[in-house]
Amino acid sequence: MHSPRVQIRPRRRPPLRMLPLGGCGEIGMNLTLYGYDDHWIAVDCGMMIRQDLPNSPLQVPNLDTPKALEIVPKALFITHGHEDHIGAAAWLWPMWNCPIYATPLAAGLLRLKFAEHQLSSAAIHVIEPGEALESGPFTLRYLLLTHSIPESCALIMMAGGYRVLHTGDWKLDPEPIIGTPISAALFKSLAPVDLVVGDSTNAPMPGHSGSEGDVARALTKTLSNCQGRVVVSCFASNLARVLAIGRAAQKCGRRISLMGRSMERMVSVARGLGYMDDLPPLVPNHDLGYLPPDEVVIIATGSQGEPRAALQRLAQGRHPFVDLQPGDNVIFSAKAIPGNERPIEQLKKRLAHLGVNLYDEFNHPELHATGHPAQDELIKLYQWVRPKHLIPVHGEARHQQAHQTIAKQLGISAPLAPVNGDLICFDSHGLRCESRYPQPPCIVSQNSVVPHPGLEVHDANKARRGSLYLALPVTATDTGWARIGRLMLDASGASPLDEDSFNDWLDDQLEEIAAETLADLRQALQPRMVQWLAEHMQHLPDVHLQIMAAEMPEPAAYESAANR
C-alpha cells in the first residue's frame, strides 16, 4: 500500500497592522504606526495648536497606547517638514531613541528643534527623494510629490508582500514655483497597490486645488493696485508663496521684510538648501520705519489667528517697529484650518477696526491655493496607482466620509474611517478594526508632555475645580430636540468657557441625540457634555445640568419681537 500523501499547507502570512495616534478624525498632529510580524515603524510625528483651549497650548500625540501594547518603533520616517508632521518629534522621539529619516529641508528643521531641546541630532539621517531604505521587514521608498512645502514625499512601503502607499500631504500642481510637477509615469509604475493611506483634507471639494503659479500672478496684480503699506500673511512653510510674494513686491517697486520667528527660521533653512536664491533682499524689521509705506511689503506669520504671531501683534498695536494705519492693506494668503475660524474672525475684526483693507479667501479666493488634493486630483492619482483598498486619514469625519464616497465610485474598498487609537488589521480578508484605544489629549506644559488637566477627572477620585450650573430649555421637534432661548450658565470658581463654541456644539448634539423623554436626553447628553468641557476648559468643574421643557414661541411672537 502506498503511504498517504502528506499535504503541506502554506504558512499563513501575518497581517499588516496600523495604529494612528494623530491625524485621524482631525486635521493636524499626524503620527501613524505600522507593524508587521512584531516590527513597528512610525510615520511622521506632528503637533497642533489648541486655540480652543486657554493659552493655546501645543497638543502632541499620546503614547500611552503603544507603551501599554509594548510597541516601540524601530525607525521614524518623516514625509515633509510641516509642523503637523514634525512638531512633536523633539518631545516624543526621546522615548524611542530610534533612527529618523527625512528629506533635506525637513531634516534641517528637525535639527533646529533638537538643538533647542539640547538633543543630539546624530539620529537624523538625510534621505533624498527617490531613495529606498529598509527597516526589518519593511522596504520603503520616498516618492516626490507637490505640496505647499518643498520635498513633500509619499512613502511606498512593502512588508510581507503587502504594498502600501502612504501619500502624506500632496496635490497635483502643474506649476509649483519651487520643484517639479508630479511624475505621472512614476506613480503609474506602482500599480496596482494593495492599500492607500490617503490625505482626506479636501475630499469634499469638487474640482482642482489650484496652482501656485496662478496665485503668484494674482498676487502681482493685487499688489500693483494697493496704496499704502501691505502685509501678506501666509504659512511660514509655504516657501513657494513667500518667493511669489517677494517677486511680486519687486515687480511693483516694493521691498520685503519677514516678520515672525517661524518665517525667518524657515527661509533661513531653505536658503541654505538653495531654494530661495531668487528671493529679493530683505529689510530688517527695525528699518521699516525709514521707508515710505507704499514701498513696503511685510510677509508675516499669523494667518490662523495665533495669539503670539506677528499679525496678531500688528492688529493689537503691539509690534515695536510697525503701526498699521487706515488705508494699509492686509492680505490673508491662506485658508482657515478647521477649528481656527473663530480666532481668525476676531483677528479680522481687530484689523478692520484699524481701518485697513482686508483681502481673504472669501472676497479674493484667487490669492490662495490649498496644498491638498480636491476630488479630481484624488480620482486621477487613484486611476494611476489602482489601489484595491483605501484608509482615509488626515481629516475630520466629514472629510473621511467624502473620501470614502470617492473610493466607492472608483470600486475601491474603503470600509473604515478611523479615529486616533483604532488598531487596524489588513490581510487577505481586507481591512478591519481589531480594537479601539481612547486617546486622551496630551499638551506641552513647561517644556514637558502632560495629560490635559481637564481629563484627569475621568478618574473619579480626582478633585474637580469649581462648579458649573447649566439650565437648558428645550422643546421637542419632529426630528428630536432643539434649544429654545438662551442657555443659562452660572460658573463658580471654574476656568473660562467659550460660550459661543459651547452653544454651537450643544445645538449639534441636541439635533443628533435620539431620546424619547427629558430623562433620556439628560442621560445621553451629560457624559458628552463632560467630555467636551474636559477638552475645552483648563480644569473641569463639577457640572450640574438641568433640562427644562419649553414651548416653541408662536410666529406672531417672533414678529412682535422683531418690530420692537
PDB file of all heavy atoms in Angstrom, residues 263-294:
ATOM      1  N   MET A 263       8.796  82.250  10.343  1.00  0.00           N
ATOM      2  CA  MET A 263       9.045  82.661   8.960  1.00  0.00           C
ATOM      3  C   MET A 263      10.543  82.840   8.728  1.00  0.00           C
ATOM      4  O   MET A 263      11.098  82.369   7.714  1.00  0.00           O
ATOM      5  CB  MET A 263       8.298  83.970   8.671  1.00  0.00           C
ATOM      6  CG  MET A 263       8.421  84.473   7.249  1.00  0.00           C
ATOM      7  SD  MET A 263       7.383  83.563   6.090  1.00  0.00           S
ATOM      8  CE  MET A 263       5.740  84.073   6.617  1.00  0.00           C
ATOM      9  N   GLU A 264      11.204  83.525   9.636  1.00  0.00           N
ATOM     10  CA  GLU A 264      12.642  83.762   9.489  1.00  0.00           C
ATOM     11  C   GLU A 264      13.418  82.445   9.518  1.00  0.00           C
ATOM     12  O   GLU A 264      14.355  82.244   8.745  1.00  0.00           O
ATOM     13  CB  GLU A 264      13.128  84.697  10.604  1.00  0.00           C
ATOM     14  CG  GLU A 264      12.544  86.102  10.515  1.00  0.00           C
ATOM     15  CD  GLU A 264      12.812  86.934  11.753  1.00  0.00           C
ATOM     16  OE1 GLU A 264      13.357  86.367  12.735  1.00  0.00           O
ATOM     17  OE2 GLU A 264      12.470  88.131  11.765  1.00  0.00           O
ATOM     18  N   ARG A 265      13.019  81.542  10.408  1.00  0.00           N
ATOM     19  CA  ARG A 265      13.709  80.254  10.517  1.00  0.00           C
ATOM     20  C   ARG A 265      13.527  79.436   9.238  1.00  0.00           C
ATOM     21  O   ARG A 265      14.483  78.857   8.710  1.00  0.00           O
ATOM     22  CB  ARG A 265      13.153  79.478  11.710  1.00  0.00           C
ATOM     23  CG  ARG A 265      13.615  78.035  11.753  1.00  0.00           C
ATOM     24  CD  ARG A 265      12.895  77.253  12.832  1.00  0.00           C
ATOM     25  NE  ARG A 265      13.229  77.697  14.168  1.00  0.00           N
ATOM     26  CZ  ARG A 265      12.761  77.126  15.274  1.00  0.00           C
ATOM     27  NH1 ARG A 265      11.926  76.105  15.183  1.00  0.00           N
ATOM     28  NH2 ARG A 265      13.099  77.564  16.456  1.00  0.00           N
ATOM     29  N   MET A 266      12.295  79.353   8.735  1.00  0.00           N
ATOM     30  CA  MET A 266      12.018  78.548   7.555  1.00  0.00           C
ATOM     31  C   MET A 266      12.796  79.064   6.345  1.00  0.00           C
ATOM     32  O   MET A 266      13.413  78.282   5.603  1.00  0.00           O
ATOM     33  CB  MET A 266      10.510  78.575   7.267  1.00  0.00           C
ATOM     34  CG  MET A 266      10.082  77.682   6.125  1.00  0.00           C
ATOM     35  SD  MET A 266      10.249  75.904   6.442  1.00  0.00           S
ATOM     36  CE  MET A 266       9.038  75.681   7.739  1.00  0.00           C
ATOM     37  N   VAL A 267      12.798  80.373   6.143  1.00  0.00           N
ATOM     38  CA  VAL A 267      13.506  80.950   4.999  1.00  0.00           C
ATOM     39  C   VAL A 267      15.008  80.744   5.147  1.00  0.00           C
ATOM     40  O   VAL A 267      15.711  80.464   4.167  1.00  0.00           O
ATOM     41  CB  VAL A 267      13.149  82.444   4.850  1.00  0.00           C
ATOM     42  CG1 VAL A 267      14.066  83.123   3.823  1.00  0.00           C
ATOM     43  CG2 VAL A 267      11.697  82.598   4.430  1.00  0.00           C
ATOM     44  N   SER A 268      15.516  80.841   6.364  1.00  0.00           N
ATOM     45  CA  SER A 268      16.946  80.637   6.587  1.00  0.00           C
ATOM     46  C   SER A 268      17.373  79.227   6.207  1.00  0.00           C
ATOM     47  O   SER A 268      18.386  79.027   5.509  1.00  0.00           O
ATOM     48  CB  SER A 268      17.290  80.926   8.053  1.00  0.00           C
ATOM     49  OG  SER A 268      18.635  80.614   8.325  1.00  0.00           O
ATOM     50  N   VAL A 269      16.607  78.215   6.654  1.00  0.00           N
ATOM     51  CA  VAL A 269      16.942  76.831   6.321  1.00  0.00           C
ATOM     52  C   VAL A 269      16.816  76.602   4.816  1.00  0.00           C
ATOM     53  O   VAL A 269      17.669  75.961   4.194  1.00  0.00           O
ATOM     54  CB  VAL A 269      16.036  75.855   7.098  1.00  0.00           C
ATOM     55  CG1 VAL A 269      16.277  74.417   6.645  1.00  0.00           C
ATOM     56  CG2 VAL A 269      16.295  75.977   8.599  1.00  0.00           C
ATOM     57  N   ALA A 270      15.756  77.139   4.203  1.00  0.00           N
ATOM     58  CA  ALA A 270      15.535  76.949   2.765  1.00  0.00           C
ATOM     59  C   ALA A 270      16.631  77.609   1.939  1.00  0.00           C
ATOM     60  O   ALA A 270      17.068  77.068   0.917  1.00  0.00           O
ATOM     61  CB  ALA A 270      14.172  77.506   2.378  1.00  0.00           C
ATOM     62  N   ARG A 271      17.092  78.765   2.374  1.00  0.00           N
ATOM     63  CA  ARG A 271      18.175  79.445   1.656  1.00  0.00           C
ATOM     64  C   ARG A 271      19.446  78.603   1.674  1.00  0.00           C
ATOM     65  O   ARG A 271      20.181  78.537   0.680  1.00  0.00           O
ATOM     66  CB  ARG A 271      18.443  80.818   2.284  1.00  0.00           C
ATOM     67  CG  ARG A 271      17.549  81.916   1.731  1.00  0.00           C
ATOM     68  CD  ARG A 271      17.922  83.254   2.302  1.00  0.00           C
ATOM     69  NE  ARG A 271      17.581  84.334   1.399  1.00  0.00           N
ATOM     70  CZ  ARG A 271      17.676  85.622   1.695  1.00  0.00           C
ATOM     71  NH1 ARG A 271      18.122  85.980   2.894  1.00  0.00           N
ATOM     72  NH2 ARG A 271      17.342  86.551   0.822  1.00  0.00           N
ATOM     73  N   GLY A 272      19.715  77.950   2.800  1.00  0.00           N
ATOM     74  CA  GLY A 272      20.893  77.109   2.891  1.00  0.00           C
ATOM     75  C   GLY A 272      20.855  75.931   1.938  1.00  0.00           C
ATOM     76  O   GLY A 272      21.898  75.385   1.564  1.00  0.00           O
ATOM     77  N   LEU A 273      19.633  75.558   1.501  1.00  0.00           N
ATOM     78  CA  LEU A 273      19.476  74.455   0.558  1.00  0.00           C
ATOM     79  C   LEU A 273      19.306  74.937  -0.875  1.00  0.00           C
ATOM     80  O   LEU A 273      19.080  74.137  -1.790  1.00  0.00           O
ATOM     81  CB  LEU A 273      18.272  73.593   0.956  1.00  0.00           C
ATOM     82  CG  LEU A 273      18.399  72.880   2.312  1.00  0.00           C
ATOM     83  CD1 LEU A 273      17.059  72.274   2.728  1.00  0.00           C
ATOM     84  CD2 LEU A 273      19.471  71.795   2.246  1.00  0.00           C
ATOM     85  N   GLY A 274      19.384  76.266  -1.073  1.00  0.00           N
ATOM     86  CA  GLY A 274      19.310  76.827  -2.423  1.00  0.00           C
ATOM     87  C   GLY A 274      17.910  77.042  -2.957  1.00  0.00           C
ATOM     88  O   GLY A 274      17.736  77.316  -4.151  1.00  0.00           O
ATOM     89  N   TYR A 275      16.874  76.957  -2.079  1.00  0.00           N
ATOM     90  CA  TYR A 275      15.505  77.109  -2.557  1.00  0.00           C
ATOM     91  C   TYR A 275      15.073  78.564  -2.737  1.00  0.00           C
ATOM     92  O   TYR A 275      14.104  78.835  -3.435  1.00  0.00           O
ATOM     93  CB  TYR A 275      14.524  76.425  -1.596  1.00  0.00           C
ATOM     94  CG  TYR A 275      14.514  74.927  -1.705  1.00  0.00           C
ATOM     95  CD1 TYR A 275      14.758  74.125  -0.601  1.00  0.00           C
ATOM     96  CD2 TYR A 275      14.261  74.301  -2.919  1.00  0.00           C
ATOM     97  CE1 TYR A 275      14.750  72.741  -0.692  1.00  0.00           C
ATOM     98  CE2 TYR A 275      14.255  72.923  -3.029  1.00  0.00           C
ATOM     99  CZ  TYR A 275      14.504  72.153  -1.914  1.00  0.00           C
ATOM    100  OH  TYR A 275      14.496  70.786  -2.015  1.00  0.00           O
ATOM    101  N   MET A 276      15.754  79.488  -2.099  1.00  0.00           N
ATOM    102  CA  MET A 276      15.285  80.883  -2.108  1.00  0.00           C
ATOM    103  C   MET A 276      16.312  81.821  -2.738  1.00  0.00           C
ATOM    104  O   MET A 276      16.405  82.993  -2.369  1.00  0.00           O
ATOM    105  CB  MET A 276      14.968  81.327  -0.674  1.00  0.00           C
ATOM    106  CG  MET A 276      14.024  80.421   0.083  1.00  0.00           C
ATOM    107  SD  MET A 276      12.371  80.327  -0.635  1.00  0.00           S
ATOM    108  CE  MET A 276      11.678  81.870  -0.059  1.00  0.00           C
ATOM    109  N   ASP A 277      17.070  81.332  -3.713  1.00  0.00           N
ATOM    110  CA  ASP A 277      18.104  82.172  -4.335  1.00  0.00           C
ATOM    111  C   ASP A 277      17.502  83.381  -5.040  1.00  0.00           C
ATOM    112  O   ASP A 277      18.163  84.412  -5.179  1.00  0.00           O
ATOM    113  CB  ASP A 277      18.919  81.341  -5.335  1.00  0.00           C
ATOM    114  CG  ASP A 277      19.807  80.308  -4.644  1.00  0.00           C
ATOM    115  OD1 ASP A 277      19.996  80.437  -3.413  1.00  0.00           O
ATOM    116  OD2 ASP A 277      20.282  79.386  -5.321  1.00  0.00           O
ATOM    117  N   ASP A 278      16.245  83.270  -5.500  1.00  0.00           N
ATOM    118  CA  ASP A 278      15.608  84.367  -6.229  1.00  0.00           C
ATOM    119  C   ASP A 278      14.853  85.329  -5.319  1.00  0.00           C
ATOM    120  O   ASP A 278      14.214  86.274  -5.812  1.00  0.00           O
ATOM    121  CB  ASP A 278      14.635  83.813  -7.279  1.00  0.00           C
ATOM    122  CG  ASP A 278      15.357  83.062  -8.381  1.00  0.00           C
ATOM    123  OD1 ASP A 278      16.570  83.286  -8.566  1.00  0.00           O
ATOM    124  OD2 ASP A 278      14.716  82.231  -9.056  1.00  0.00           O
ATOM    125  N   LEU A 279      14.873  85.094  -4.015  1.00  0.00           N
ATOM    126  CA  LEU A 279      14.150  85.990  -3.107  1.00  0.00           C
ATOM    127  C   LEU A 279      14.874  87.331  -3.051  1.00  0.00           C
ATOM    128  O   LEU A 279      16.089  87.385  -2.830  1.00  0.00           O
ATOM    129  CB  LEU A 279      14.079  85.379  -1.705  1.00  0.00           C
ATOM    130  CG  LEU A 279      13.192  86.109  -0.695  1.00  0.00           C
ATOM    131  CD1 LEU A 279      11.718  85.951  -1.078  1.00  0.00           C
ATOM    132  CD2 LEU A 279      13.417  85.562   0.719  1.00  0.00           C
ATOM    133  N   PRO A 280      14.160  88.450  -3.261  1.00  0.00           N
ATOM    134  CA  PRO A 280      14.808  89.768  -3.209  1.00  0.00           C
ATOM    135  C   PRO A 280      15.426  90.033  -1.836  1.00  0.00           C
ATOM    136  O   PRO A 280      15.088  89.372  -0.844  1.00  0.00           O
ATOM    137  CB  PRO A 280      13.649  90.735  -3.490  1.00  0.00           C
ATOM    138  CG  PRO A 280      12.614  89.923  -4.198  1.00  0.00           C
ATOM    139  CD  PRO A 280      12.735  88.552  -3.630  1.00  0.00           C
ATOM    140  N   PRO A 281      16.326  91.006  -1.756  1.00  0.00           N
ATOM    141  CA  PRO A 281      16.949  91.339  -0.464  1.00  0.00           C
ATOM    142  C   PRO A 281      15.908  91.704   0.586  1.00  0.00           C
ATOM    143  O   PRO A 281      14.860  92.281   0.282  1.00  0.00           O
ATOM    144  CB  PRO A 281      17.839  92.541  -0.807  1.00  0.00           C
ATOM    145  CG  PRO A 281      18.087  92.432  -2.273  1.00  0.00           C
ATOM    146  CD  PRO A 281      16.850  91.826  -2.861  1.00  0.00           C
ATOM    147  N   LEU A 282      16.206  91.361   1.836  1.00  0.00           N
ATOM    148  CA  LEU A 282      15.270  91.583   2.932  1.00  0.00           C
ATOM    149  C   LEU A 282      15.610  92.856   3.695  1.00  0.00           C
ATOM    150  O   LEU A 282      16.783  93.184   3.895  1.00  0.00           O
ATOM    151  CB  LEU A 282      15.300  90.396   3.894  1.00  0.00           C
ATOM    152  CG  LEU A 282      14.907  89.033   3.301  1.00  0.00           C
ATOM    153  CD1 LEU A 282      15.137  87.930   4.335  1.00  0.00           C
ATOM    154  CD2 LEU A 282      13.451  89.039   2.851  1.00  0.00           C
ATOM    155  N   VAL A 283      14.562  93.544   4.147  1.00  0.00           N
ATOM    156  CA  VAL A 283      14.712  94.718   5.001  1.00  0.00           C
ATOM    157  C   VAL A 283      14.482  94.283   6.444  1.00  0.00           C
ATOM    158  O   VAL A 283      13.437  93.683   6.745  1.00  0.00           O
ATOM    159  CB  VAL A 283      13.704  95.822   4.618  1.00  0.00           C
ATOM    160  CG1 VAL A 283      13.806  97.000   5.582  1.00  0.00           C
ATOM    161  CG2 VAL A 283      13.913  96.269   3.184  1.00  0.00           C
ATOM    162  N   PRO A 284      15.405  94.533   7.360  1.00  0.00           N
ATOM    163  CA  PRO A 284      15.160  94.193   8.761  1.00  0.00           C
ATOM    164  C   PRO A 284      13.948  94.939   9.306  1.00  0.00           C
ATOM    165  O   PRO A 284      13.661  96.078   8.902  1.00  0.00           O
ATOM    166  CB  PRO A 284      16.445  94.644   9.474  1.00  0.00           C
ATOM    167  CG  PRO A 284      17.475  94.751   8.395  1.00  0.00           C
ATOM    168  CD  PRO A 284      16.744  95.139   7.151  1.00  0.00           C
ATOM    169  N   ASN A 285      13.229  94.326  10.226  1.00  0.00           N
ATOM    170  CA  ASN A 285      12.040  94.962  10.808  1.00  0.00           C
ATOM    171  C   ASN A 285      12.330  96.340  11.387  1.00  0.00           C
ATOM    172  O   ASN A 285      11.525  97.279  11.250  1.00  0.00           O
ATOM    173  CB  ASN A 285      11.446  94.071  11.906  1.00  0.00           C
ATOM    174  CG  ASN A 285      10.737  92.834  11.374  1.00  0.00           C
ATOM    175  OD1 ASN A 285      10.218  92.038  12.133  1.00  0.00           O
ATOM    176  ND2 ASN A 285      10.714  92.653  10.051  1.00  0.00           N
ATOM    177  N   HIS A 286      13.500  96.471  12.013  1.00  0.00           N
ATOM    178  CA  HIS A 286      13.783  97.742  12.696  1.00  0.00           C
ATOM    179  C   HIS A 286      14.066  98.881  11.715  1.00  0.00           C
ATOM    180  O   HIS A 286      14.150 100.037  12.126  1.00  0.00           O
ATOM    181  CB  HIS A 286      14.934  97.584  13.694  1.00  0.00           C
ATOM    182  CG  HIS A 286      16.197  97.040  13.089  1.00  0.00           C
ATOM    183  ND1 HIS A 286      17.023  97.776  12.278  1.00  0.00           N
ATOM    184  CD2 HIS A 286      16.761  95.807  13.196  1.00  0.00           C
ATOM    185  CE1 HIS A 286      18.056  97.020  11.905  1.00  0.00           C
ATOM    186  NE2 HIS A 286      17.921  95.825  12.446  1.00  0.00           N
ATOM    187  N   ASP A 287      14.210  98.569  10.416  1.00  0.00           N
ATOM    188  CA  ASP A 287      14.424  99.624   9.418  1.00  0.00           C
ATOM    189  C   ASP A 287      13.156  99.986   8.655  1.00  0.00           C
ATOM    190  O   ASP A 287      13.181 100.890   7.799  1.00  0.00           O
ATOM    191  CB  ASP A 287      15.494  99.178   8.406  1.00  0.00           C
ATOM    192  CG  ASP A 287      16.895  99.187   9.001  1.00  0.00           C
ATOM    193  OD1 ASP A 287      17.063  99.781  10.082  1.00  0.00           O
ATOM    194  OD2 ASP A 287      17.799  98.582   8.397  1.00  0.00           O
ATOM    195  N   LEU A 288      12.037  99.314   8.945  1.00  0.00           N
ATOM    196  CA  LEU A 288      10.816  99.570   8.188  1.00  0.00           C
ATOM    197  C   LEU A 288      10.302 100.993   8.361  1.00  0.00           C
ATOM    198  O   LEU A 288       9.702 101.561   7.455  1.00  0.00           O
ATOM    199  CB  LEU A 288       9.725  98.569   8.603  1.00  0.00           C
ATOM    200  CG  LEU A 288       9.924  97.130   8.123  1.00  0.00           C
ATOM    201  CD1 LEU A 288       8.879  96.215   8.744  1.00  0.00           C
ATOM    202  CD2 LEU A 288       9.861  97.060   6.605  1.00  0.00           C
ATOM    203  N   GLY A 289      10.539 101.572   9.526  1.00  0.00           N
ATOM    204  CA  GLY A 289      10.062 102.933   9.783  1.00  0.00           C
ATOM    205  C   GLY A 289      10.714 103.985   8.914  1.00  0.00           C
ATOM    206  O   GLY A 289      10.194 105.107   8.786  1.00  0.00           O
ATOM    207  N   TYR A 290      11.855 103.666   8.288  1.00  0.00           N
ATOM    208  CA  TYR A 290      12.553 104.637   7.442  1.00  0.00           C
ATOM    209  C   TYR A 290      12.052 104.616   5.999  1.00  0.00           C
ATOM    210  O   TYR A 290      12.461 105.458   5.189  1.00  0.00           O
ATOM    211  CB  TYR A 290      14.066 104.347   7.452  1.00  0.00           C
ATOM    212  CG  TYR A 290      14.690 104.444   8.820  1.00  0.00           C
ATOM    213  CD1 TYR A 290      15.096 103.300   9.510  1.00  0.00           C
ATOM    214  CD2 TYR A 290      14.866 105.685   9.443  1.00  0.00           C
ATOM    215  CE1 TYR A 290      15.669 103.390  10.767  1.00  0.00           C
ATOM    216  CE2 TYR A 290      15.437 105.775  10.709  1.00  0.00           C
ATOM    217  CZ  TYR A 290      15.834 104.616  11.362  1.00  0.00           C
ATOM    218  OH  TYR A 290      16.391 104.712  12.620  1.00  0.00           O
ATOM    219  N   LEU A 291      11.184 103.641   5.661  1.00  0.00           N
ATOM    220  CA  LEU A 291      10.707 103.516   4.285  1.00  0.00           C
ATOM    221  C   LEU A 291       9.285 104.058   4.167  1.00  0.00           C
ATOM    222  O   LEU A 291       8.462 103.869   5.074  1.00  0.00           O
ATOM    223  CB  LEU A 291      10.725 102.048   3.849  1.00  0.00           C
ATOM    224  CG  LEU A 291      12.095 101.370   3.745  1.00  0.00           C
ATOM    225  CD1 LEU A 291      11.916  99.885   3.450  1.00  0.00           C
ATOM    226  CD2 LEU A 291      12.928 102.032   2.668  1.00  0.00           C
ATOM    227  N   PRO A 292       8.951 104.706   3.044  1.00  0.00           N
ATOM    228  CA  PRO A 292       7.556 105.112   2.815  1.00  0.00           C
ATOM    229  C   PRO A 292       6.647 103.893   2.794  1.00  0.00           C
ATOM    230  O   PRO A 292       7.037 102.833   2.266  1.00  0.00           O
ATOM    231  CB  PRO A 292       7.610 105.787   1.432  1.00  0.00           C
ATOM    232  CG  PRO A 292       9.039 106.166   1.236  1.00  0.00           C
ATOM    233  CD  PRO A 292       9.845 105.133   1.951  1.00  0.00           C
ATOM    234  N   PRO A 293       5.441 103.979   3.357  1.00  0.00           N
ATOM    235  CA  PRO A 293       4.554 102.813   3.432  1.00  0.00           C
ATOM    236  C   PRO A 293       4.289 102.157   2.085  1.00  0.00           C
ATOM    237  O   PRO A 293       4.181 100.930   2.010  1.00  0.00           O
ATOM    238  CB  PRO A 293       3.265 103.384   4.035  1.00  0.00           C
ATOM    239  CG  PRO A 293       3.717 104.565   4.830  1.00  0.00           C
ATOM    240  CD  PRO A 293       4.865 105.147   4.058  1.00  0.00           C
ATOM    241  N   ASP A 294       4.174 102.953   1.001  1.00  0.00           N
ATOM    242  CA  ASP A 294       3.852 102.357  -0.288  1.00  0.00           C
ATOM    243  C   ASP A 294       5.061 101.716  -0.969  1.00  0.00           C
ATOM    244  O   ASP A 294       4.982 101.295  -2.124  1.00  0.00           O
ATOM    245  CB  ASP A 294       3.203 103.372  -1.223  1.00  0.00           C
ATOM    246  CG  ASP A 294       4.057 104.613  -1.445  1.00  0.00           C
ATOM    247  OD1 ASP A 294       5.182 104.661  -0.903  1.00  0.00           O
ATOM    248  OD2 ASP A 294       3.600 105.523  -2.153  1.00  0.00           O
TER     249      ASP A 294
END
